[in-house]
């Protein structure tokens, strides 16, 4: 922590439990804690301007853990809640599509297509009615740790300062409206920030929680909500595709979840282990929409909202230790998502409820990690652990491996290893040797016609907002690399993998180039923190309330 | 002096507003609601007056649905002392709101009423002026600077031609504009304290307002999409075209 | 035949340009009488109003208290005229200038009737369209029968009438009681500097990323000065450091509605277009003929702005 940071006078608020993150894991844990310990004081921090503002997920949810936690949800379902109907799994070629047998993990009978953000609003209302103090607009900026070495222990969380103005230093200085972030002191701190949480990243490093884990891996997901002309959609239909526009080497596929009222959730997930530095994930999603069958579905429709978020894919092998002195990681802050199912919500709830029960029963985080691994959630991860890594060998071998693993129910005696995403890029020179453009882009459509025309137009639909004068929250440790080494080695891939065009290489006015960071476009997806090949980008929380304002997404 | 601040619950200014499919209103489901930004500036001004000793009490008042409690709690967390909510699920048009506020004013007897100049939903820009007329007191609208002396205030107003200064005897109604101040951030401990401050909730009907004639609202639609025009070949052609349109003479 | 009372916005010498546009609206609704409230010897606006095409009569109401345009002083007089003058008026209109916005609601409250703000289109005698949510939604409202229609007129929505008319100017007075609780002190011109204020200017020239540098922005300032225009910028130009951020036009900057907007080296991202959707006439100058700005520009000129802008200045000189 910087000296400047420590020198500021702050209020201290004390709680039994402090939870960082207002998603299904954080809210699920808060609710369960209150159910088990009605007298406990619980504070939940959420960096978005309201609960749900930063939540972006497919989402087809398995309801059983939620039924256990809050059965009343079925009486007042969220604004978007469509029971799952038919499942379809298709392989796309440039012009056509072929129906493939639906993998067992993609059978959704009994599940629900929901807006996770809307569901979280209801969870938050329930949590508040139980006495949880929910604070939207207040980010957890850094974890407070007391003691050194073996004695080190998490004692709480420092909230972000408000009203900080940018200056020549990375941290800026207090502006006229400065309000110092409060220090929350808690008996136990629960990090529930979702995929690549900034505090979880700090603590994993601090306590070496990933010492025995394989490298964590991720995907980047895009999602749009469309309003279509009457009669185009089949409510409840759940479609997933693989194949075009990706090549066999790159992990990626789409989802189409048909809602009521002629609305459609359409999205795309790209594995961030992709190798060609020239690849643009956003462009791949937009190309997918131009497949003749997809374009026919979308034609004449309108985008209502859009956004992007990374997805954690490392599974069991990459799962860090989930407990440390004074704190726990739950949900995707740890990485509990089931990749073949592309479902993380039920796992988030499971880990959250287990954490609450564990804390209520034992009074301490210690032992939570093994409790989770031995639970239904942990066993589910074990069963599917070898499926995603099988795709390092390409689409066909990956699918064959997936079939084998499904048949074996995960009882294979081996565990496939993962590879770090940031380390997977080929250099420009190597990529160029394969072809003049990225392999998969060879048969992409030159002129796209469907909205959004580009990333800037897409950002418009995310309603993202960042106060202009605040310091840039994307901390690049050494921007001198950008115009020199990185331009040469990789051609500045950040300018392509960011879903909203935060990073741009512009003329520096002296005949060269420099990195320009358009921080206000940021939708808090964390792709840059993950994929930057030099690992010098550190995403930190901007001023509370900044970022996207997703509605019904 | 007691200051009454009127606030309205509106769709958050960051939200992209959309007309509903039937064309009968805007989509409000799942949409973030906030205090009207101009009203926040009004609250902030009232709080600064209290902090400087010019005022003794700041009372926030709103007319709206039950959920408007959220916005009043935010006003209390910013520092208001008391809040009043008069609930109604009906559309409350400006003259109705002004008559309602008059009833509150007659009961509370404030030395000053502060309001945002307009609500960002209906953009009517009427309530402050109407209240002042009904109360038979002065109004100073679109105020960007305020100076208080004994029993009167000098208000600088942002008008088309520049900055106009007027002097009003108190009590008066002041509607505030963007540049008056920058509202403070709400702090967590204050959110907790706000839960214990008085928030009085009553049905709007209790104010006994005689409903004035109401405007009937019909269709809602998005604005006509701008179409592209023509490309011209030269600057001379451009100048000629602009003259032709009467834009240049 | 319906009668319309239109309140003149003037400064003692000149009639506000919004009045000529408001008359365009008013004359569609009925016989137009323009009311000029003024201090003795400050009636120049009466003659200007009398010239406007479509004005049948100008009422000149002279009162010492009318020296500054104080809503509290004018409203009782307007209300009295509206109720009593020659049987009362069916419509009371004011331009949606700061004057009209300040005054008319006070009149409406005194008369006990609703007001339509920013009338932008007449559907029929009592039905109008108006913008809400900063113009992102247009709504149709109807004034119920049996009450006068009070409305401020969105002047950008109406073209000014010609001034070849010659209406009679008559004196009028009311015996309305005038309050003394409000006093006019003075007016100072906008901000500082000699360029018009971006938010309210009738003409704006804005530069984008294409301008290239802070130094290059000179070329934009020069054109603006030639046109008597304010200067704005796109977000990209602000982010690149060419200009300070209070010049930003767009979703997160200023939303403006000048009569003329010249976008120089601006590509036309949606966020920028949000800021100029209500502009009268958009002119785009950009070297990329496919830039999205051309999809909304009324006039587009494709080419190198560093050549076109000086040429444009010269062409304006010759006019």
């Amino acid at each position: 922590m910087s000296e400047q940071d420590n020198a500021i006078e702050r209020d201290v608020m004390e709680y039994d439990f402090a939870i960082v993150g207002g998603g299904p894991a954080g809210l699920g844990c808060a609710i369960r804690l209150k159910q088990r310990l009605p007298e406990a004081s619980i504070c939940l921090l959420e960096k978005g301007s309201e609960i749900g503002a930063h939540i972006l997920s497919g989402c087809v949810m398995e309801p059983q853990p939620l039924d256990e936690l809050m059965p009343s949800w079925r009486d007042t379902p969220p604004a978007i809640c469509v029971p799952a109907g038919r499942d379809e799994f298709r392989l796309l070629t440039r012009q056509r599509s072929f129906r493939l047998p639906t993998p067992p993990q993609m059978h959704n009978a009994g599940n629900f297509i929901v807006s996770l953000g809307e569901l979280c609003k209801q969870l938050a209302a329930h949590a508040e009615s139980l006495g949880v103090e929910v604070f939207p607009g207040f980010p957890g900026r850094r974890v407070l740790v007391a003691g050194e070495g073996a004695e080190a222990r998490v004692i709480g969380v420092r909230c972000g300062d408000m009203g900080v103005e940018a200056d020549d230093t990375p941290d800026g200085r207090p502006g006229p409206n400065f309000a110092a972030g409060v220090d929350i002191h808690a008996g136990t701190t629960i990090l529930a920030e979702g995929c690549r949480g900034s505090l979880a990243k700090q603590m994993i490093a601090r306590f070496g929680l990933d010492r025995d884990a394989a490298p964590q891996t991720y995907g980047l997901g895009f999602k749009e909500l469309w309003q279509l002309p009457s009669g185009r959609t089949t409510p409840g239909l759940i479609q997933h595709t693989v194949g075009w526009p990706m090549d066999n080497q790159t992990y990626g596929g789409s989802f189409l979840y048909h809602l009521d009222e002629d609305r459609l959730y359409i999205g795309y997930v790209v594995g961030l282990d992709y190798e060609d530095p020239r690849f643009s994930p956003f462009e791949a999603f937009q190309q997918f929409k131009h497949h003749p069958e997809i374009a026919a579905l979308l034609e004449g429709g309108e985008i209502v909202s859009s956004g992007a978020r990374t997805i954690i894919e490392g599974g069991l092998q990459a799962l860090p230790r989930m407990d440390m002195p004074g704190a726990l990681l739950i949900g995707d802050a740890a990485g509990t998502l089931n990749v073949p199912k592309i479902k993380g919500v039920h796992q988030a709830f499971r880990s959250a409820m287990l954490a609450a029960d564990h804390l209520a029963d034992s009074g301490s985080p210690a032992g939570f990690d093994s409790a989770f691994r031995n639970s239904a959630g942990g066993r589910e991860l074990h069963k599917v652990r070898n499926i995603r890594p099988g795709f390092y060998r390409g689409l066909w071998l990956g699918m064959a491996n997936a079939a084998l693993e499904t048949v074996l129910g995960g009882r294979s005696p081996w565990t496939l290893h993962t590879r770090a995403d940031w380390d997977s890029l080929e250099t420009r020179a190597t990529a160029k040797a394969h072809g003049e453009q990225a392999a998969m882009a060879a048969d992409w459509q030159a002129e796209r016609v469907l909205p959004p025309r580009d990333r800037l137009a897409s950002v418009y639909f995310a309603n993202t907002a960042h106060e202009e004068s605040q310091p840039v929250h994307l901390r690049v440790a050494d921007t001198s690399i950008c115009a020199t080494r990185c331009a040469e080695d990789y051609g500045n891939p950040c300018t392509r993998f960011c879903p909203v065009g935060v990073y741009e290489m512009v003329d520096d006015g002296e005949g060269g180039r420099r990195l320009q960071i358009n921080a206000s476009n940021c939708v808090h997806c964390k792709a840059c923190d993950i994929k930057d090949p030099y690992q010098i980008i550190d995403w930190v929380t901007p001023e509370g309330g900044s970022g996207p304002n997703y509605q019904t997404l | 002096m007691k200051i009454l601040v009127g606030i309205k619950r509106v769709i958050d200014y960051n939200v992209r507003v959309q007309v509903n499919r039937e064309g009968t209103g805007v989509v409000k489901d799942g949409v973030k609601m906030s205090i009207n930004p101009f009203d926040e500036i009004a609250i902030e001004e009232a709080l600064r007056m209290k902090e400087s000793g010019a005022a003794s009490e700041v009372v926030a008042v709103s007319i709206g649905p039950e959920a408007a409690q959220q916005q009043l709690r935010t006003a209390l967390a910013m520092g208001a002392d008391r809040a009043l909510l008069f609930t109604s699920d009906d559309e409350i048009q400006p003259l109705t709101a002004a008559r309602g506020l008059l009833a509150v004013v007659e009961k509370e007897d404030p030395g000053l009423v502060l309001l945002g100049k307009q609500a960002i939903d209906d953009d009517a820009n009427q309530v402050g002026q109407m209240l002042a007329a009904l109360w038979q007191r002065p109004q100073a609208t679109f105020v960007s600077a305020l100076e208080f002396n004994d029993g009167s205030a000098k208000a600088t107003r942002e008008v088309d031609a520049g900055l106009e200064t007027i002097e009003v005897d108190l009590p008066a109604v002041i509607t505030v504009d963007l540049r008056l101040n920058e509202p403070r951030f709400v702090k967590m401990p204050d959110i907790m304290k706000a839960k214990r401050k008085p928030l009085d909730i009553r049905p709007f009907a209790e104010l006994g307002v005689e409903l004035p004639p109401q405007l009937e609202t019909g269709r809602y639609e998005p604005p006509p999409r701008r179409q592209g025009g023509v490309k011209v070949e030269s600057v001379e052609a451009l100048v000629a075209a602009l003259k032709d349109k009467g834009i240049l003479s | 035949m319906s009668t319309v009372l239109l309140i003149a916005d003037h400064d003692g010498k000149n009639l506000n340009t919004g009045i000529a546009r408001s008359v365009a609206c008013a004359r569609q609704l009925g016989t137009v009488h323009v009311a000029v409230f003024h201090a003795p010897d400050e009636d120049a606006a009466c003659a200007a109003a009398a010239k406007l095409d479509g004005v049948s009569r100008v009422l000149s109401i002279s009162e010492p208290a009318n020296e500054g345009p104080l809503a509290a002083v004018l409203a009782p007089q307007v209300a009295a005229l509206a109720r009593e003058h020659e049987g009362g008026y069916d419509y009371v209109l004011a331009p949606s200038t700061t004057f009209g916005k300040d005054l008319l609601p006070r009149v409406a409250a005194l008369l006990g009737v609703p007001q339509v703000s920013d009338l932008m289109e007449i559907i029929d005698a009592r039905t109008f369209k108006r913008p809400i949510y900063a113009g992102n939604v247009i709504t149709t409202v109807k004034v119920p029968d049996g009450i006068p229609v009070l409305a401020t007129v969105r002047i950008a929505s109406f073209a000014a009438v010609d001034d070849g008319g010659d209406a009679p100017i008559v004196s009028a007075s009311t015996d309305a009681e005038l309050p003394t609780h409000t006093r006019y002190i003075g007016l100072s011109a906008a901000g500082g500097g000699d360029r018009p204020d971006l938010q309210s200017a009738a003409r704006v020239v804005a530069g984008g990323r294409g301008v290239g540098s802070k130094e290059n922005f000179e070329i934009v300032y020069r054109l603006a000065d030639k046109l008597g225009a304010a200067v704005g910028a796109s977000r990209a130009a602000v982010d690149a450091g060419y200009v300070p951020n209070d010049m930003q036009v767009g979703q997160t900057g200023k939303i403006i509605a000048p009569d003329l907007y010249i976008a120089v080296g601006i590509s036309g991202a949606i966020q920028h277009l949000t800021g100029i959707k209500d502009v009268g006439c958009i002119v785009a100058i950009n070297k990329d003929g496919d830039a999205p700005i051309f999809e909304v520009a009324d006039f587009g000129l494709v080419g190198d702005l560093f050549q076109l802008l000086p040429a444009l200045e010269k062409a304006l000189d010759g006019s």
Side-chain angles (χ1 to χ4, degrees):
Chain A
M1 285 183 249
S2 71
E3 263 180 51
Q4 179 192 337
D5 196 57
N6 283 339
I8 296 171
E9 213 182 289
R10 299 173 190 282
D11 286 321
V12 174
M13 290 169 75
E14 312 248 351
Y15 289 90
D16 295 318
F17 301 97
I19 301 176
V20 181
L27 290 165
C29 191
I31 291 171
R32 181 60 148 215
L33 277 171
K34 268 294 188 178
Q35 288 169 348
R36 294 292 315 273
L37 305 168
E39 303 306 308
S41 60
I42 306 176
C43 140
L44 187 146
L45 302 176
E46 164 55 43
K47 63 176 166 53
S49 60
E50 58 167 4
I51 297 285
H54 292 184
I55 303 259
L56 184 98
S57 172
C59 153
V60 178
M61 179 184 75
E62 280 181 23
Q64 293 82 5
L66 182 56
D67 285 333
E68 198 195 311
L69 177 72
M70 193 176 88
S72 62
W73 83 273
R74 288 186 185 251
D75 303 323
T76 48
I80 293 190
C81 183
V82 177
R86 211 159 46 82
D87 287 299
E88 257 182 34
F89 184 56
R90 307 189 84 93
L91 172 72
L92 297 187
T93 60
R94 181 61 182 90
Q95 299 294 344
R96 304 175 58 191
S97 79
F98 299 93
R99 184 96 193 261
L100 296 181
T102 306
Q105 299 92 350
M106 287 181 169
H107 283 150
N108 283 298
N111 295 338
F112 293 87
I113 307 172
V114 293
S115 158
L116 185 59
E118 292 301 306
L119 177 62
C120 285
K121 284 180 187 168
Q122 303 200 292
L123 290 167
H126 188 61
E128 284 191 298
S129 74
L130 295 175
V132 175
E133 282 157 23
V134 179
F135 293 103
F138 290 92
R141 174 71 175 217
R142 42 175 54 103
V143 178
L144 299 171
V145 178
E148 292 292 322
E151 306 298 317
R153 188 194 137 72
V154 172
I155 58 165
V157 171
R158 173 164 293 168
C159 296
D161 297 332
M162 308 279 282
V164 181
E165 276 181 359
D167 63 9
D168 298 325
T169 70
D171 289 326
R173 59 158 192 273
N177 240 3
F178 179 77
V182 159
D183 275 356
I184 308 279
H185 287 180
T188 306
T189 300
I190 295 145
L191 299 181
E193 302 156 283
C195 177
R196 195 72 170 196
S198 48
L199 299 191
K201 181 183 174 190
Q202 285 174 28
M203 290 303 98
I204 290 170
R206 178 77 174 66
F207 288 96
L209 301 175
D210 58 354
R211 192 177 296 135
D212 299 320
Q216 187 57 268
T217 68
Y218 305 84
L220 173 57
F222 299 84
K223 180 179 176 185
E224 291 170 0
L225 168 63
W226 279 67
Q227 180 68 57
L228 295 180
S230 234
R232 288 276 178 86
T233 60
T234 310
L237 175 60
I238 294 172
Q239 299 171 301
H240 294 101
T241 76
V242 292
W244 194 85
M246 304 302 255
D247 62 10
N248 287 337
Q249 211 30 57
T250 311
Y251 185 80
S254 78
F255 61 89
L256 295 102
Y257 301 152
H258 294 236
L259 307 174
D260 50 11
E261 296 181 23
D262 303 306
R263 294 178 296 185
L264 176 75
Y265 279 153
I266 180 169
Y268 209 79
V269 178
V270 168
L272 282 178
D273 58 333
Y274 70 83
E275 294 174 353
D276 196 314
R278 301 167 293 189
F279 176 59
S280 165
F282 172 83
E283 190 59 32
F285 174 36
Q286 301 307 321
Q287 286 294 324
F288 159 72
K289 286 158 57 189
H290 285 75
H291 183 277
E293 290 177 21
I294 310 297
L297 178 61
L298 297 177
E299 198 234 312
E302 248 181 25
I303 297 187
V304 175
S305 45
S306 76
R309 183 74 172 94
T310 47
I311 294 175
I312 196 154
E313 292 188 347
L316 186 66
Q317 298 85 310
L319 192 68
R321 207 180 88 220
M322 293 167 77
D323 62 64
M324 69 207 92
L328 298 179
L329 303 176
I330 59 174
D332 281 345
T336 54
L337 182 138
N338 180 324
V339 178
K341 283 185 182 176
I342 337 171
K343 290 185 175 63
V345 178
H346 68 293
Q347 289 282 84
F349 281 132
R350 274 176 166 162
S351 66
M353 287 156 68
L354 188 72
D357 287 339
H358 180 86
L359 290 169
D361 295 331
S362 74
S364 145
F368 173 62
D369 182 77
S370 56
F372 179 75
R373 287 170 197 266
N374 289 316
S375 72
R379 286 194 299 274
E380 183 167 326
L381 289 183
H382 184 264
K383 206 166 147 196
V384 299
R385 73 196 183 286
N386 284 326
I387 294 182
R388 174 64 178 93
F391 286 90
Y392 289 134
R393 303 289 208 84
L395 179 64
W396 297 113
L397 285 178
M399 298 222 286
N401 172 68
L404 175 66
E405 284 289 331
T406 303
V407 162
L408 290 179
R411 281 183 295 278
S412 38
W414 57 80
T415 297
L416 298 179
H417 219 59
T418 59
R419 305 197 294 244
D421 292 331
W422 60 266
D423 205 17
S424 62
L425 282 180
E426 292 175 327
T427 60
R428 258 189 343 143
T430 313
K432 237 182 150 205
H434 294 154
E436 268 314 303
Q437 55 177 330
M440 74 278 281
D443 59 359
W444 284 3
Q445 191 155 318
E447 292 272 330
R448 291 194 279 102
V449 299
L450 292 170
R453 85 189 304 134
D454 53 26
R455 285 179 291 175
L456 197 53
S458 166
V459 131
Y460 179 72
F461 294 104
N463 288 333
T464 192
H466 291 83
E467 171 56 55
E468 306 279 328
S469 56
Q470 62 174 311
V472 169
H473 67 280
L474 302 141
R475 303 294 170 89
V476 183
D478 180 5
T479 54
S480 70
I481 290 187
C482 306
T484 55
R485 261 177 77 197
C486 186
E488 179 54 41
D489 288 345
Y490 301 108
N492 305 116
C494 64
T495 62
R496 284 176 291 284
F497 60 58
C498 173
V500 290
V502 164
Y503 300 95
E504 271 189 285
M505 292 302 288
V506 299
D507 253 307
D508 67 359
E510 287 160 23
R513 311 269 271 167
R514 64 171 178 86
L515 178 71
Q516 176 166 295
I517 302 178
N518 304 314
S520 56
N521 291 354
C522 182
V523 290
H524 298 209
C525 78
K526 317 301 180 64
C528 56
D529 194 288
I530 292 166
K531 185 61 172 171
D532 144 49
Y534 303 97
Q535 288 291 278
I536 53 174
I537 300 180
D538 198 26
W539 189 99
V540 303
T541 51
E543 192 174 84
S546 302
N549 288 286
Y550 295 137
Q551 290 157 231
T552 58
L553 204 58
Chain B
M1 169 171 67
K2 183 193 298 186
I3 303 182
L4 195 68
V5 182
I7 72 174
K8 188 178 181 188
R9 173 181 166 93
V10 297
I11 294 182
D12 186 86
Y13 76 95
N14 271 324
V15 167
R16 248 180 48 258
V17 172
Q18 282 161 339
V19 178
N20 65 23
R21 285 186 101 188
E22 303 81 40
T24 55
V26 299
V27 175
K28 287 205 166 141
D29 270 342
V31 155
K32 177 156 194 276
M33 307 295 284
S34 301
I35 299 182
N36 182 38
F38 294 106
D39 299 345
E40 257 189 321
I41 294 173
I43 298 171
E44 176 64 28
E45 196 62 20
L47 295 174
R48 290 185 187 190
M49 287 178 64
K50 187 169 153 211
E51 283 156 6
S52 73
S56 53
E57 192 189 11
V58 174
V59 181
V61 57
S62 190
I63 303 170
E66 286 254 2
Q69 286 181 60
Q70 266 169 26
Q71 280 63 48
L72 287 168
R73 285 283 171 214
T74 304
L76 291 170
M78 283 174 75
D81 299 292
R82 252 193 311 130
L84 308 168
L85 173 60
F86 296 94
T87 56
S88 169
D89 284 327
D90 297 328
E91 182 203 359
I92 305 280
Q93 293 188 357
L95 187 50
T96 311
R99 288 183 177 179
L101 287 175
L102 180 68
V104 177
V105 157
E106 282 167 349
K107 194 150 162 279
E108 293 280 340
D109 195 26
L112 183 65
V113 176
L114 285 172
L115 302 169
K117 73 170 179 183
Q118 69 197 59
I120 62 171
D121 52 8
D122 67 11
D123 282 330
N125 195 327
Q126 295 176 20
V127 172
Q129 296 87 309
M130 289 178 159
L131 174 61
L134 298 172
W135 196 17
Q136 298 178 66
R137 295 305 308 163
Q139 71 192 46
T141 58
F142 330 135
V143 169
S144 62
L146 264 184
E147 203 188 286
F148 285 90
N149 307 303
D150 228 346
S152 70
K154 261 216 194 95
T156 304
R157 306 176 53 228
E158 297 207 351
V159 298
D160 295 326
L163 295 172
E164 180 190 277
T165 311
I166 64 175
E167 191 179 55
V168 295
D169 291 336
L170 299 181
V173 177
I174 307 226
T175 78
V176 301
D177 209 331
L178 212 50
R179 275 166 277 265
L180 179 61
N181 63 45
E182 173 111 27
R184 65 195 60 191
F185 293 106
V186 172
K187 305 200 189 69
M188 280 172 75
D190 294 334
I191 295 179
M192 301 306 302
K193 283 190 210 136
K195 294 189 182 181
R196 295 189 289 275
K197 289 185 181 177
L199 201 177
D200 195 62
I201 305 177
R202 290 159 198 262
F204 179 67
E206 237 182 69
L207 289 173
V209 161
E210 190 195 319
L211 276 189
Q214 303 280 305
L215 293 177
E216 288 162 38
T217 2
R219 278 183 71 198
Y220 285 73
E221 54 195 327
R225 218 159 244 176
R226 280 193 92 104
Q227 299 296 341
V230 294
K231 287 212 175 100
V232 293
E233 294 301 306
S234 67
V235 296
E236 289 77 22
L238 176 62
V239 173
L242 291 175
K243 282 190 181 165
D244 205 46
K245 250 196 145 192
I247 293 176
L248 290 180
S249 46
Chain C
M1 183 67 178
S2 301
T3 51
V4 183
L5 183 65
L6 172 63
I7 315 300
D9 178 354
H10 71 98
D11 64 3
K13 297 192 220 58
N14 300 305
L15 193 61
N16 184 294
T17 55
I19 296 300
R21 293 166 178 262
S22 306
V23 172
C25 171
R27 69 182 182 181
Q28 294 181 50
L29 297 168
T31 312
V32 182
H33 292 184
V34 176
V36 181
F37 294 86
H38 60 87
D41 296 333
E42 289 202 341
D43 61 353
C46 294
K51 289 213 188 79
L52 297 174
D53 249 339
V55 173
S56 301
R57 190 183 304 179
V58 174
L59 304 179
S60 165
I61 303 104
S62 174
E63 272 287 336
N66 288 345
E67 181 164 358
L70 294 173
V73 169
L74 298 182
Q77 299 176 64
V78 176
L81 277 185
R83 271 194 292 258
E84 300 148 12
H85 190 81
E86 302 198 349
Y89 287 88
D90 302 299
Y91 297 84
V92 182
L93 305 184
S96 190
T97 54
T98 47
F99 166 81
K101 290 193 277 204
D102 186 37
L103 170 62
L104 203 67
R106 201 166 171 121
V107 177
L110 293 178
L111 295 176
V113 300
Q115 171 189 311
V116 176
S117 292
D118 292 306
L119 188 165
M120 65 191 290
E121 192 181 322
I122 299 170
I123 305 298
D124 68 33
R126 305 188 81 79
T127 312
F128 312 102
K129 285 195 180 176
R130 61 172 298 256
I132 58 174
Y133 290 99
N136 285 300
V137 178
I138 308 296
T139 184
T140 307
V141 294
K142 182 160 187 290
V143 182
D145 293 328
I147 54 172
V149 175
L150 263 66
T152 57
V153 178
R154 185 172 180 275
I155 55 189
S157 300
F158 296 89
V161 298
D162 289 326
D163 56 0
D166 186 21
I169 303 174
V170 301
S171 286
S173 66
T174 74
D175 48 18
E177 205 183 304
L178 304 183
T180 54
H181 51 45
T182 310
R183 295 165 288 286
Y184 184 80
I185 302 207
L187 177 69
S188 67
D194 23 32
R195 268 189 208 108
D197 176 53
L198 177 58
Q199 189 71 68
S200 52
R203 295 176 178 177
V204 174
V205 182
R209 178 78 72 81
V211 175
S213 73
K214 201 167 163 179
E215 294 69 39
N216 288 352
F217 235 81
E218 255 317 295
I219 209 178
V220 175
Y221 290 121
R222 277 214 311 271
L223 178 61
D225 289 341
K226 180 117 279 172
L227 286 166
V231 182
S234 70
R235 178 199 193 107
V238 169
D239 280 351
Y242 304 162
V243 289
N245 98 1
D246 62 2
M247 286 171 61
Q248 187 176 319
V249 172
Q251 188 186 24
T252 55
K254 295 186 167 66
I255 298 181
I256 60 176
D259 300 326
L260 175 64
Y261 184 80
I262 304 184
V264 177
I266 292 180
S267 65
I270 299 187
Q271 290 87 341
H272 186 74
L273 300 185
T274 306
I276 58 172
K277 67 185 187 316
D278 295 323
V279 165
C281 175
I282 298 176
V283 173
I285 299 178
N286 196 304
K287 69 173 188 272
D288 174 9
D290 291 326
I293 189 95
F294 289 112
E295 287 164 30
V296 299
D298 299 286
F299 298 109
L301 190 48
V302 182
D304 179 353
L305 66 95
F306 296 104
Q307 299 190 337
L308 291 175
L309 257 57
L312 183 54
E313 271 185 68
K314 253 179 109 191
L316 288 168
D317 261 336
S319 63

